[in-house]
Amino acid sequence: MLARSAVLNQSGPTEFVFRMFTAVPEFQALLFLLFLLLYLMILCGNTAIIWAVCTHSSLRTPMYFFLSCLSFVEISYTTVVVPLLLSNVFGAPKPISLAGCGAQMFFFLTLGGADCFLLAIMAYDRYVAICHPLHYTLIMTQKLCIQMVACAVALALYLSLQLTSLIFTLPFCGRLWEINHFLCDVPPVLRLACADIHVHQTVLYIVSILVLVVPFSLISVSYVFITLAILRIRSAEGRSRAFSTCSSHLTVVLLQYGFCALVYLRPQSGASVDKDRQFALIYTFVTPLLNPLIYTLRNKDVKDALRNAIISKSASDTH
């Protein structure tokens, strides 16, 4: 007890370092190039969706408005993590201050929460479009769409601010601590605290339920009604088009919610630390990369808009 008090009373600011993926220079170079390539692909793919939605009047519908918002969140979400990750791939681990770690955690949680809430909003949009097509334009007004996105962001901000503030009221032992992760996420930072964290873990589970379980439950209910409505469509072409639109969204939902739930909702143990890093790589790189691919490859409207944009750009360059 006296030793711990002595550690806590050390002067100087607390700093964190992230655990290295590998100490082998050749592997470090390969990882750097891989992460950089994936990051650039995420930026290009999601920027292309935002550009297509903003410049083509045929895509100015609630569904594509939400899709462009999702793409913007994905760009911001990865940008909070990847540049710092790239700077720590090479050489000795670079320390991050307590304030810097707190800022990254806050923005990571805010954007991750907004991402989950947006997916739930998109499910509601599909529910209204398929189950109440005649009232769709009356229900999904521009004002309502903006209000729903604003509420999603505001709720994510509020929850992440409360959770981050609670985490960083904890004492951390010593001046320099290693986070077994590549970002300042809640579970690995909690493991470094020099105090009882049962209350903090309970709050983490409550926030995780609000951000993951509640939206996923609403999405599931929406898709039950959507499936019943699609099965009542007489036209085979109509059923195929409806299923295609919904399957794109459902694929993204299962990836995002599935891997986030594995990190935040399962009991924490020493054996789960390395798995958390692996799962985090998936929802940091794979999901934001797959979003534009899934929505463009399976969506004729987006593909046509991007193709027309490329053709018109080529034509203007030749003149």
Side-chain angles (χ1 to χ4, degrees):
M1 193 72 180
L2 289 173
R4 174 164 288 190
S5 298
V7 174
L8 288 173
N9 290 330
Q10 285 180 346
S11 59
T14 300
E15 290 184 322
F16 301 99
V17 292
F18 300 110
R19 180 164 295 181
M20 298 173 66
F21 285 98
T22 177
V24 181
E26 291 79 7
F27 287 145
Q28 288 179 341
L30 284 174
L31 282 176
F32 180 87
L33 291 174
L34 175 63
F35 291 151
L36 179 61
L37 178 63
L38 290 173
Y39 180 53
L40 293 175
M41 289 171 68
I42 290 167
L43 292 181
C44 292
N46 285 286
T47 301
I49 287 180
I50 296 171
W51 177 63
V53 172
C54 292
T55 56
H56 290 79
S57 57
S58 62
L59 299 182
R60 287 175 191 166
T61 64
M63 182 176 81
Y64 296 112
F65 168 70
F66 295 135
L67 179 57
S68 64
C69 290
L70 184 69
S71 291
F72 177 77
V73 168
E74 298 284 16
I75 289 171
S76 306
Y77 177 80
T78 51
T79 301
V80 167
V81 176
V82 178
L84 188 60
L85 167 63
L86 291 174
S87 71
N88 279 284
V89 169
F90 275 122
K94 300 165 185 66
I96 181 172
S97 67
L98 191 70
C101 189
Q104 188 189 48
M105 182 184 289
F106 169 72
F107 287 111
F108 177 75
L109 294 175
T110 298
L111 294 164
D115 195 296
C116 292
F117 293 142
L118 274 172
L119 289 172
I121 291 171
M122 292 172 76
Y124 175 72
D125 172 70
R126 291 300 82 209
Y127 161 76
V128 176
I130 293 171
C131 298
H132 304 284
L134 299 179
H135 299 98
Y136 181 72
T137 53
L138 296 175
I139 297 172
M140 299 302 293
T141 61
Q142 184 181 34
K143 182 180 178 181
L144 179 63
C145 293
I146 294 171
Q147 286 175 339
M148 286 196 292
V149 171
C151 286
V153 174
L155 182 56
L157 275 168
Y158 175 77
L159 291 174
S160 63
L161 181 62
Q162 298 304 311
L163 184 56
T164 306
S165 301
L166 184 66
I167 299 299
F168 283 91
T169 57
L170 285 166
F172 295 98
C173 307
R175 298 184 186 179
L176 187 68
W177 272 89
E178 183 183 65
I179 299 175
N180 189 5
H181 213 296
F182 57 86
L183 65 98
C184 289
D185 203 359
V186 177
V189 172
L190 269 180
R191 293 187 187 102
L192 303 180
C194 294
D196 182 71
I197 59 171
H198 286 95
V199 172
H200 301 75
Q201 286 180 324
T202 302
V203 172
L204 174 60
Y205 283 127
I206 292 170
V207 171
S208 299
I209 288 169
L210 292 173
V211 174
L212 296 172
V213 178
V214 173
F216 186 75
S217 300
L218 295 174
I219 291 170
S220 300
V221 171
S222 296
Y223 271 100
V224 169
F225 287 108
I226 287 169
T227 303
L228 294 173
I230 290 174
L231 293 174
R232 288 197 295 267
I233 298 174
R234 295 181 180 179
S235 160
E237 184 183 348
R239 282 198 301 271
S240 175
R241 184 178 175 83
F243 270 123
S244 177
T245 302
C246 294
S247 63
S248 301
H249 176 255
L250 200 54
T251 304
V252 175
V253 165
L254 292 174
L255 281 169
Q256 180 74 10
Y257 283 89
F259 286 105
C260 287
L262 287 172
V263 172
Y264 296 104
L265 290 175
R266 82 179 194 278
Q268 296 296 317
S269 65
S272 69
V273 175
D274 290 329
K275 287 184 179 179
D276 284 355
R277 285 215 302 177
Q278 295 164 11
F279 293 146
L281 281 172
I282 291 172
Y283 58 72
T284 300
F285 285 104
V286 179
T287 309
L289 179 62
L290 286 180
N291 279 357
L293 291 176
I294 290 169
Y295 281 109
T296 53
L297 293 177
R298 299 182 64 89
N299 191 301
K300 186 177 182 297
D301 294 334
V302 177
K303 282 193 290 187
D304 289 344
L306 289 173
R307 189 183 300 113
N308 293 336
I310 293 168
I311 292 170
S312 61
K313 178 67 176 174
S314 301
S316 64
D317 289 342
T318 56
H319 291 295

